[in-house]
Each structure stands twice: as C-alpha cells, then as structure tokens.
Amino acid sequence: MKSEFNFKIVYADGRVIDMYEDQNYWVSSCRVQPISFSRTLEKVDGRRGLIETSTMIESRKINTIIQIDGYDAADFDMTRDAIYALFNPVDEFYIVRDLQPGKRYKVKVSNLTGIEYDDGSLEDGEFEVEFEMFQPFAESIGTSLQLQNAKEWDVGLWQWAQGIDGDTTYQYEFNTNNFIVNNFGNVLIDPRENELEITIKATASSFLEIKNITTGDIYRFNGSLTSGDTLILKGIQTFKNGVSAFGKTNTKLLSLAVGDNIFTVSGGTLISAAFNFRPLYY
C-alpha cells in the first residue's frame, strides 16, 4: 500500500516514475511550501507607516522525506546510485502528488541529502529531497479544451477543489463576436509567463481587434483575413498560417483574469476562436 504522500515524476516526453510502484520508495513526507516573495517599501517624511511600491513573487519549495529498503548492503549501495541519478540537479520535470492528482508542479532538485542508514542496518535508510519551482504556481494537468470536450469533467484529469463546477458545461470554442472565457483557476494567466494558445479564424478587410473587457487588454491584428486563414496567438507570438506575423500586431497580449473574462471582437466577423490553457493555482 502506498504512502498518502506518494508522488509521481512526470517528464516532458511523457515518461512517468511512481515513487512506490516503480521505485519501491516510501514517501513519508511531502510538504508544498508557500510561495516566497519580496516587497519594496518606501518611507515618506511626515507620513505614518510605509508605502508598498511593489511585490515580487519568487520561487516555491517542496520538501520531501523518502525511505528506502534494500535486500542487502550491495543492493542498498546500488539503490543509492540510482537515487543520485534520478534526483539530479539538471533535469526539470513535474511532480504529481497522489493527494491532488489534478495538479502538477514544475520543479528542479535544489538539494539532495546523503542517505542516512537506520540504526544497526546497512539495508534501510532515508534521504531528503528539496525541489524548487521557479514558476511557483501549480498548474492543471488537463487543459481548457480537454475539459470542454470531455464527457465527464473528472475523467482522470480533474479533481475536487480545482474550481470546476460539476453541473456546469464549460465552453472554450466560440463562433460569435461576443463571448465569455472562464478561467476557473485562482491565478491570472499571463501569456508572457504561462501557457495560453488562442486559435482564431475570421474574415476582416483591414484589421481584427479582440478586447478582453474584464482585463482591459486589447489585441489588434493589422491586415486582412479570409475564411481560409488561421491566426494563432501562442505566448507572446502571433502566427498567420504558420508564419510569424507579430510585426502586424499592436504588440499587445491577451491575459485571462480569474473567473469570467468578457470578450468582444471588432473589425471583422469571427468564424471561430478556441482558447486552450492550463488554469493555475496558489
């Protein structure tokens, strides 16, 4: 039986390593720490208190303690080498905890302790691994389009306490010039930092403008569009039919606030718009 703190390592290429099922490690502790931050404060003569001028969100730590058992001293020694290889400081991967299987944490190893042997044993011991998240928010394993297209909202991608209402039908593909995109996470999605892809098909004679009324963001593509064209906004980039078209934009981006985002399209007629993203969580 697994520890309740068990977790999986998931690599970008799809490889999955379960600490218990694949490695026979017992995770006795896995603590997700709060996000670290720094503030810049200023004093003003004659004014009581301080003025906050900025708050910078920094990294986040995950601390784990793992126990291992060997058949004998030689097996334990080889297990130690495997641990050093698995938890090396170079590889970047995701941690998915059994306690919340709908969220993942992108990490690198920031510290690995030596293995402490149990008293009187050369076959049993434990070690500690500290992971660091440079992008400190947990992200949904499933994407918005997967949620829209799933027959059930919890088809192995989602969990409770993820901001999803099981009685709501979620839509992330639209074919009118006015629509609402729901970000059911609890963190704003900024395409400069987070995964957000918007695929647009529209007709326009000279420009197409998309406004998120909720955030005030206005994106404008300066150029004509026909029904055969596809415009993709991916991160900070814009592609028209697969070719970079950032130079034809107003260089602005569309972000998604927490909750409902009200969009309007002007300058042309929207044929379809698809929003694909992973909600983020503190």
Side-chain angles (χ1 to χ4, degrees):
M1 185 176 179
K2 293 182 181 181
S3 159
E4 61 183 348
F5 300 112
N6 189 68
F7 63 87
K8 301 177 183 67
I9 289 175
V10 181
Y11 293 94
D13 62 7
R15 288 181 296 136
V16 179
I17 299 176
D18 186 290
M19 292 298 99
Y20 182 75
E21 293 181 356
D22 298 319
Q23 301 298 112
N24 197 32
Y25 299 160
W26 180 266
V27 182
S28 58
S29 177
C30 182
R31 294 171 295 164
V32 179
Q33 303 294 348
I35 295 172
S36 61
F37 64 92
S38 60
R39 284 200 175 105
T40 302
L41 304 172
E42 291 185 357
K43 296 180 180 180
V44 176
D45 289 343
R47 176 172 176 158
R48 291 175 292 183
L50 300 171
I51 297 175
E52 178 185 348
T53 58
S54 66
T55 297
M56 178 68 68
I57 289 179
E58 298 176 349
S59 64
R60 186 180 215 163
K61 300 288 181 67
I62 300 176
N63 298 104
T64 65
I65 300 174
I66 300 175
Q67 297 176 346
I68 55 175
D69 298 318
Y71 298 113
D72 52 33
D75 178 65
F76 190 91
D77 206 56
M78 289 184 283
T79 299
R80 177 206 61 205
D81 293 347
I83 289 167
Y84 291 166
L86 179 62
F87 297 110
N88 69 77
V90 176
D91 291 344
E92 188 172 55
F93 46 79
Y94 294 97
I95 285 178
V96 179
R97 301 183 302 139
D98 289 5
L99 285 171
Q100 295 201 49
K103 298 176 183 177
R104 65 185 191 178
Y105 303 81
K106 193 174 188 178
V107 301
K108 275 193 168 185
V109 173
S110 59
N111 188 48
L112 173 64
T113 67
I115 298 172
E116 296 292 334
Y117 291 93
D118 289 351
D119 291 341
S121 171
L122 293 178
E123 297 87 26
D124 305 318
E126 71 174 26
F127 62 96
E128 298 182 21
V129 189
E130 181 181 77
F131 301 100
E132 187 164 12
M133 301 170 61
F134 302 116
Q135 293 292 332
F137 301 111
E139 63 183 39
S140 170
I141 290 177
T143 68
S144 55
L145 288 181
Q146 286 176 314
L147 178 62
Q148 172 188 279
N149 297 329
K151 296 186 187 303
E152 298 290 343
W153 69 266
D154 57 348
V155 290
L157 294 175
W158 313 101
Q159 63 171 65
W160 298 111
Q162 208 166 354
I164 302 172
D165 182 352
D167 296 324
T168 298
T169 299
Y170 289 88
Q171 182 178 358
Y172 293 99
E173 292 180 289
F174 311 94
N175 56 16
T176 64
N177 279 33
N178 300 281
F179 53 88
I180 296 175
V181 177
N182 180 264
N183 171 14
F184 54 87
N186 56 27
V187 178
L188 178 141
I189 295 176
D190 185 336
R192 293 170 296 184
E193 304 173 1
N194 315 123
E195 182 178 333
L196 174 60
E197 182 170 309
I198 306 171
T199 303
I200 298 166
K201 296 183 73 68
T203 57
S205 58
S206 59
F207 77 93
L208 188 76
E209 187 171 278
I210 305 171
K211 181 176 182 179
N212 184 342
I213 296 174
T214 304
T215 63
D217 297 337
I218 299 175
Y219 169 88
R220 181 180 175 114
F221 176 78
N222 297 306
S224 62
L225 292 169
T226 69
S227 59
D229 293 325
T230 300
L231 206 61
I232 296 179
L233 286 60
K234 187 173 183 179
I236 63 173
Q237 300 175 298
T238 292
F239 300 93
K240 179 182 178 182
N241 301 329
V243 179
S244 177
F246 181 76
K248 291 187 176 182
T249 73
N250 64 344
T251 71
K252 304 299 182 182
L253 303 171
L254 295 171
S255 59
L256 295 177
V258 175
D260 286 344
N261 292 259
I262 302 170
F263 280 86
T264 62
V265 178
S266 59
T269 301
L270 187 71
I271 299 172
S272 66
F275 286 70
N276 202 27
F277 59 92
R278 298 181 193 272
L280 305 175
Y281 304 91
Y282 277 98

